[in-house]
Amino acid sequence: MLQNFLFPAYHNFGLSIMLLFARIAFGAMFLTHGLQKLANFKALSANFPSIMGLGSTLSLMLAIFAEVFCTLGFITGFLYRLSMIPMIITMIVAVLFIHGEDPFSAKELAMLYLFIFIIMYVLGPGSFAADYFFAVKG
């Protein structure tokens, strides 16, 4: 059961192609946010929003972890669903805490990513993913 959840096997070629395209497209767009944060770490760490009392630096590190390292897992399909959990949590935090009081237009992008990531989480990575090879061998 856990293996099927972590490493789902797909047999639909068309769906797998679409999932691969979605992983690359949305992952590349999301990755740019994390790379910007990583490149400006020193400047951002002083004034990045502190979430739930974690402090600015730790909050920034968690955002970078989700937006860079987990996104690479999302794109490649490696530990796909596990890597998506921090990505989804980051977008929930962005919608509810970072942009909670902002107008809809300010939180629209975070909401869009959140909905896409939830849909992609449910669908799984497809057969053109690193996890697929674990499913086939398992």
Side-chain angles (χ1 to χ4, degrees):
M1 179 76 167
L2 181 61
Q3 181 174 348
N4 289 338
F5 174 75
L6 290 177
F7 310 117
Y10 291 86
H11 303 291
N12 186 318
F13 181 79
L15 175 62
S16 291
I17 289 290
M18 289 306 299
L19 290 170
L20 174 65
F21 174 76
R23 287 193 342 257
I24 292 170
F26 294 121
M29 288 186 279
F30 196 61
L31 185 62
T32 62
H33 295 282
L35 292 175
Q36 288 173 352
K37 288 178 179 74
L38 186 60
N40 298 308
F41 183 83
K42 189 172 184 175
L44 288 173
S45 63
N47 59 5
F48 196 78
S50 174
I51 304 303
M52 298 186 288
L54 295 175
S56 294
T57 303
L58 183 56
S59 295
L60 177 60
M61 290 170 62
L62 290 171
I64 290 170
F65 173 74
E67 294 177 11
V68 174
F69 300 103
C70 292
T71 301
L72 293 174
F74 172 75
I75 292 170
T76 61
F78 179 69
L79 297 176
Y80 177 80
R81 285 193 169 123
L82 291 178
S83 68
M84 289 195 72
I85 293 170
M87 295 166 64
I88 290 170
I89 291 170
T90 299
M91 290 301 94
I92 291 171
V93 167
V95 169
L96 297 179
F97 296 104
I98 305 301
H99 298 293
E101 301 297 319
D102 294 345
F104 177 77
S105 60
K107 60 178 111 183
E108 184 177 9
L109 183 60
M111 291 176 74
L112 183 62
Y113 277 124
L114 175 61
F115 295 137
I116 288 168
F117 292 157
I118 290 171
I119 292 166
M120 295 292 295
Y121 182 89
V122 171
L123 290 175
S127 59
F128 300 110
D131 288 352
Y132 179 76
F133 297 104
F134 293 110
V136 171
K137 291 183 180 189

